Amino acid sequence: MKIQIEVLRVVDEVLSLNGRALGFTRDTPLLGAIPELDSMAVVHLITALEEQLGVSVYDDDIDGATFASVGSLVDFVREKLPA
Amino acid sequence: MKAAATKTFFLDAHPPWPGQRLCTYHAPAGTAKAVVVYVQPWLEEMNKSRRMAALHGRQLAQAGCAVLQIDLQGCGDSSGDLADASWAAWLADIHQAAAWLIQRHDAPLWLWGLRSGCLLAAAAGRKLATPCHWLMWQPVTQGRQLVQQLLRLKAASEMQAGQGQAAAAKARQQLAAGQPLEVAGYTLPAALVHSLEQATLEPPAQVGRLEWLEVSTRADATLLPASVATLQAWRAAGAQVREQVVHGPAFWQTTEIEAAPALLAASLAALCDRATA
């Protein structure tokens, strides 16, 4: 749950959602549902997650499925966190 | 006392590069106490940060600095296409801008970089005969990170077509084969991407002052971890280093054009403050 809060905070900041993201749930769709989440924003989001949560993202991680929903993104981050 | 003034003109590029470079000169109020070359970031960041660069150029001029902003080869309103640009040409552009200012004013030289411009400023400064100082805004410490971002952007832009994973690998292969990278509407020559990838913020042999400024929207913001190591290296090399994080938006990448007044104020104080660290 803590990871979800952190991820939503980063999403909110990167996309300038002014707090809106803090109310998202696992089921909230991201890619395709949030207009602010274009290609450039995806790149900024990855950078922010790397810098702030300490994950490393590789080229082949960049997949539509990862960014489909809050749940998929949180699961991705959890998997990538250093053990 | 002479008032500060701004004028725009074209300079002929330094041979062997052809064409012209658009320059904006902010003439100082009174006698110049410093000369400053602005080293712009690249691609969209250059466009988004134009306003902040212009605001600060004018402020510095009012505070007594002579400031020259130059559009690099293939960028902005200068000659050439980005597809023909090179790191060597860009270094020559910065050197030429510095020479132009030094011919007109007897004052210390500062290279002021924003984001990837800091990498170019460091590279340019290393090769200058004149000693100089650096003003760095939100420095990118490794060109490699920027190239990684570009490849990610390529992947992200093809993601919705289901081609994300393959796109970055394919782009890497093409670059390795010397083919240009096409991303976000830009065509980047392989050699330029390679030069950028090699660029770092290693301190030069001759160091002076380094004023390092970062911007964050977080209340508890501290320097980026990569910055800490770089700052230590510059101190170890003997530079007089001061660093700050100020509150403000990432104006070089925000969707709407934004200003960061706290950065302007801090930068003015940092550059014009005569106290040594």
Side-chain angles (χ1 to χ4, degrees), chain A residues 50-63:
Chain A
E50 283 188 319
E51 282 173 0
Q52 296 182 42
L53 303 187
V55 297
S56 288
V57 178
Y58 298 97
D59 292 346
D60 52 13
D61 290 327
I62 300 179
D63 187 68

Side-chain angles (χ1 to χ4, degrees), chain B:
Chain B
M1 187 177 76
K2 182 164 60 92
T6 296
K7 62 175 182 166
T8 304
F9 53 89
F10 282 98
L11 271 184
D12 286 331
H14 196 278
W17 288 281
Q20 301 190 306
R21 304 290 179 262
L22 181 72
C23 295
T24 302
Y25 173 52
H26 301 284
T31 309
K33 56 189 192 199
V35 298
V36 183
V37 177
Y38 174 56
V39 189
Q40 55 186 211
W42 77 337
L43 307 184
E44 272 315 289
E45 294 192 5
M46 182 202 68
N47 289 321
K48 289 179 188 250
S49 57
R50 267 197 188 286
R51 183 159 169 257
M52 276 291 286
L55 283 172
H56 201 50
R58 286 199 291 273
Q59 276 183 331
L60 288 173
Q62 273 156 7
C65 302
V67 184
L68 192 67
Q69 303 180 328
I70 183 167
D71 279 356
L72 305 170
Q73 183 200 33
C75 302
D77 291 310
S78 285
S79 301
D81 290 324
L82 192 55
D84 302 317
S86 71
W87 190 253
W90 287 1
L91 285 174
D93 289 340
I94 299 305
H95 289 154
Q96 189 185 21
W100 190 93
L101 284 170
I102 290 167
Q103 271 163 23
R104 286 160 178 77
H105 303 282
D106 179 18
L109 172 65
W110 283 78
L111 299 181
W112 160 33
L114 169 60
R115 292 277 294 158
S116 58
C118 298
L119 291 165
L120 187 61
R126 278 185 212 118
K127 295 185 188 224
L128 274 174
T130 328
C132 66
H133 307 289
W134 283 267
L135 171 63
M136 296 198 183
W137 283 8
Q138 201 73 18
V140 174
T141 52
Q142 310 248 354
R144 196 164 36 84
Q145 289 169 337
L146 277 181
V147 175
Q148 173 69 303
Q149 302 269 53
L150 276 181
L151 291 166
R152 282 177 176 170
L153 187 56
K154 183 82 178 165
S157 65
E158 312 224 352
M159 197 167 56
Q160 296 198 260
Q163 295 300 312
Q165 293 175 355
K170 188 164 161 229
R172 278 189 201 281
Q173 274 165 13
Q174 285 177 331
L175 279 171
Q179 287 167 20
L181 172 64
E182 300 200 10
V183 62
Y186 292 101
T187 300
L188 301 168
L192 180 61
V193 173
H194 184 69
S195 296
L196 186 65
E197 205 167 19
Q198 311 277 299
T200 67
L201 279 186
E202 256 183 55
Q206 270 197 88
V207 285
R209 284 172 58 188
L210 170 61
E211 300 286 346
W212 180 288
L213 292 152
E214 291 182 16
V215 181
S216 173
T217 52
R218 302 178 70 187
D220 58 346
T222 52
L223 290 172
L224 292 172
S227 306
V228 174
T230 302
L231 290 164
Q232 273 169 3
W234 280 65
R235 282 199 165 96
Q240 293 166 273
V241 180
R242 291 194 302 189
E243 65 272 24
Q244 284 187 69
V245 184
V246 297
H247 191 265
F251 58 89
W252 55 90
Q253 72 185 28
T254 47
T255 315
E256 303 293 323
I257 304 297
E258 299 191 43
L263 176 62
L264 293 173
S267 182
L268 191 62
L271 198 141
C272 298
D273 179 356
R274 283 195 190 83
T276 53

Side-chain angles (χ1 to χ4, degrees), chain A residues 12-41:
Chain A
D12 197 80
E13 189 189 318
V14 170
L15 303 184
S16 304
L17 298 177
N18 297 312
R20 251 197 311 143
L22 306 179
F24 290 176
T25 66
R26 275 192 62 91
D27 297 326
T28 308
L30 293 177
L31 196 64
I34 303 188
E36 290 88 344
L37 190 58
D38 61 9
S39 318
M40 197 61 108

